[in-house]
Amino acid sequence: MSAPVASAEETAVRAIVEIADDCLILGHRLSEWCGHAPILEEELALANMGLDLIGQARALYAYAGELEGKGRSEDDFAFLRREREYRNCLLVERENRDFAHTMLRQLYFAAFMQPMWQAIAATSSDETLRGIAAKTNKEMTYHLRHAGEWVIRMGDGTDESARRMADAVTELHRYTGELFMASPARAQAIANGLLPDPEPIRATWDDTIATVFAAAKLELPEVRVPQKGGRDGIHGEDMGHLLAELQFMQRAYPGQTW
């Protein structure tokens, strides 16, 4: 028996939730720096960028719930799904490790999402998504500049900071290829004009990363087998620990509100 064909609304919800999951999980990772940032200024910056991403996730989850029409709220999407139901890319769930890993992960993601939001604002057939993109594009422009400056500062800094940034590149670069892979839901959303194709953004991303790496005196590694699986709900061990913390309050005290 062949699998049932998903409706345009179902694929739209799935494609929007993929982006929302990226934002939520990365926003949670940044929130883990609260009380642990190396300097006060970064304590505030990391918290604010985390809030930006969680705010983007809220807007997208709320709209996905509206399109779905099953009464699911943004909290239902964020806190009451199982691990295999999250469709975020593997890059955003990687552990913070140290400040170099965090800033490089932030650079990779922002260098992709900033032009992506620009493309959504300019080309999406959906007015609500265009509105969300117009706001978030400004936030991601700041995230990109902030992360890029830190990657350059550390890569071209002391022997210790350069070593840590080079280690981060070795660990994280293999996860960047998944950013440009369109899931079946995303492919359908592209065909319907809802979302832009991520592949044409690769040239912009490549230019941004090459420029920052040149200034930071970092070498681009060759990745023969990109890591993937997050869009299919297949996550690493880190994801379970992340969700245990993220979902604790709603699981322990269902339905509680501030």
Side-chain angles (χ1 to χ4, degrees):
M1 180 182 295
S2 60
V5 177
S7 67
E9 288 77 14
E10 289 171 332
T11 55
V13 169
R14 169 73 177 268
I16 292 169
V17 167
E18 287 180 4
I19 303 175
D21 286 348
D22 284 351
C23 296
L24 176 73
I25 299 303
L26 186 55
H28 181 80
R29 279 294 187 221
L30 291 182
S31 78
E32 293 175 342
W33 276 101
C34 288
H36 303 283
I39 56 176
L40 180 59
E41 187 177 16
E42 279 307 302
E43 182 82 14
L44 300 174
L46 291 167
N48 279 324
M49 289 190 292
L51 287 173
D52 287 344
L53 290 163
I54 291 172
Q56 294 164 21
R58 288 189 62 189
L60 292 167
Y61 285 141
Y63 188 47
E66 181 182 331
L67 290 176
E68 185 182 54
K70 296 181 179 178
R72 283 205 287 180
S73 69
E74 59 194 64
D75 287 347
D76 293 326
F77 281 104
F79 299 124
L80 298 179
R81 286 181 293 154
R82 297 178 180 176
E83 180 179 331
R84 290 294 297 269
E85 296 175 295
Y86 283 81
R87 305 297 177 178
N88 56 277
C89 63
L90 297 179
L91 173 68
V92 298
E93 70 188 56
R94 308 311 302 161
E95 282 188 308
N96 288 328
R97 297 283 293 274
D98 60 20
F99 193 67
H101 276 72
T102 299
M103 283 299 108
L104 183 68
R105 185 186 61 205
Q106 200 68 10
L107 172 68
Y108 284 152
F109 185 73
F112 172 75
M113 283 307 299
Q114 195 270 338
M116 174 59 71
W117 284 125
Q118 276 189 331
I120 293 173
T123 66
S124 176
S125 59
D126 188 285
E127 183 178 359
T128 299
L129 287 181
R130 292 200 303 273
I132 295 172
K135 178 179 182 297
T136 55
N137 177 49
K138 297 175 184 175
E139 296 170 345
M140 295 312 293
T141 299
Y142 168 74
H143 292 203
L144 177 57
R145 184 174 68 247
H146 183 88
E149 288 173 352
W150 270 110
V151 170
I152 293 171
R153 190 179 304 174
M154 295 189 71
D156 191 26
T158 66
D159 290 344
E160 177 66 12
S161 69
R163 182 190 64 78
R164 291 187 179 225
M165 189 55 72
D167 288 347
V169 172
T170 300
E171 168 63 23
L172 294 176
H173 202 81
R174 55 189 162 146
Y175 293 98
T176 59
E178 194 177 22
L179 292 168
F180 305 96
M181 299 176 186
S183 68
R186 183 61 170 267
Q188 190 60 54
I190 294 168
N192 293 339
L194 188 72
L195 294 172
D197 188 346
E199 185 55 38
I201 293 174
R202 185 187 294 274
T204 302
W205 188 89
D206 285 344
D207 287 345
T208 300
I209 300 303
T211 299
V212 172
F213 273 37
K217 298 179 181 177
L218 293 168
E219 294 185 5
L220 278 169
E222 180 182 358
V223 178
R224 296 183 177 180
V225 183
Q227 297 294 303
K228 60 180 181 179
R231 301 299 188 209
D232 296 321
I234 302 171
H235 301 284
E237 182 180 353
D238 297 341
M239 187 70 171
H241 297 291
L242 185 154
L243 290 180
E245 183 175 349
L246 175 70
Q247 297 183 337
F248 170 76
M249 288 297 291
Q250 277 292 336
R251 297 289 188 187
Y253 306 100
Q256 294 294 304
T257 59
W258 292 100

